[in-house]
């Protein structure tokens, strides 16, 4: 009896078990944090690309603006400028030009780098740029 009681009170291996449990939990949490940050960063990049493609498109104004007439975007040149920007960045997207408004929607696939438990996703970003005519001497 005395020998079996002594074995139950023996704590050899206790620290190794806790180290394994805590280590696995830290690796799991670290992987989730890393992949979540990566996903947020990629979503930000996709949105920034949409904004910049819209900016490139909005710079293609019609010649009427120079004459002081209503501000409109040259539809074909604006769409081409946005598509060229998207192509240069390697991000898929669609461009719509309607009068003075340019809408760019981008999308990019994302998959986890460390934790396969997280599901792959398609991240999207949308930018709506509206050209506004400002008269000389006034602030927008």
């Amino acid at each position: 009896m005395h020998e079996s009681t002594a074995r139950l009170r023996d704590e050899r291996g206790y620290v190794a078990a806790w180290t394994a449990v805590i280590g696995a939990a830290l690796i799991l949490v670290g992987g989730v944090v890393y992949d979540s940050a990566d996903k947020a960063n990629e979503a930000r990049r996709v949105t920034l690309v949409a904004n910049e493609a819209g900016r490139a498109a909005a710079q293609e104004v019609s010649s009427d603006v120079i004459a002081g007439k209503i501000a409109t975007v040259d539809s074909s040149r604006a769409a081409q400028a946005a598509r060229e920007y998207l192509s240069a960045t390697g991000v898929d997207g669609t461009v719509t030009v309607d009068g003075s408004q340019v809408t760019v929607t981008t999308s990019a696939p994302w998959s986890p780098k460390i934790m396969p438990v997280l599901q792959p996703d398609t991240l999207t970003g949308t930018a709506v740029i509206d050209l506004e005519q400002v008269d000389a001497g006034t602030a927008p």
Side-chain angles (χ1 to χ4, degrees):
M1 254 328 199
H2 185 271
E3 188 177 319
S4 65
T5 305
R7 282 189 190 163
L8 290 176
R9 291 186 183 164
D10 187 7
E11 294 183 6
R12 282 184 286 181
Y14 178 77
V15 173
W18 271 107
T19 302
V21 169
I22 297 298
L26 288 175
I27 290 171
L28 179 70
V29 169
V32 169
V33 167
Y34 179 85
D35 279 341
S36 296
D38 181 58
K39 184 176 183 179
N41 193 34
E42 186 64 18
R44 181 178 162 271
R45 186 181 81 82
V46 168
T47 301
L48 287 175
V49 168
N51 288 335
E52 289 302 310
R55 181 205 48 81
Q59 298 214 2
E60 299 298 330
V61 295
S62 66
S63 58
D64 292 340
V65 172
I66 297 169
K69 298 179 183 173
I70 191 163
T72 58
V73 177
D74 184 323
S75 298
S76 62
R77 286 187 6 218
Q80 182 63 28
R83 286 188 192 101
E84 286 175 2
Y85 188 89
L86 292 174
S87 176
T89 59
V91 176
D92 294 331
T94 59
V95 181
T96 306
V97 180
D98 183 21
S100 65
Q101 192 173 69
V102 178
T103 304
V104 180
T105 303
T106 54
S107 64
W110 175 84
S111 58
K113 309 286 187 287
I114 295 177
M115 298 302 296
V117 177
L118 299 175
Q119 297 297 313
D121 198 1
T122 299
L123 307 174
T124 59
T126 301
V128 178
I129 289 76
D130 199 0
L131 201 61
E132 182 180 335
Q133 184 170 347
V134 178
D135 295 325
T138 61

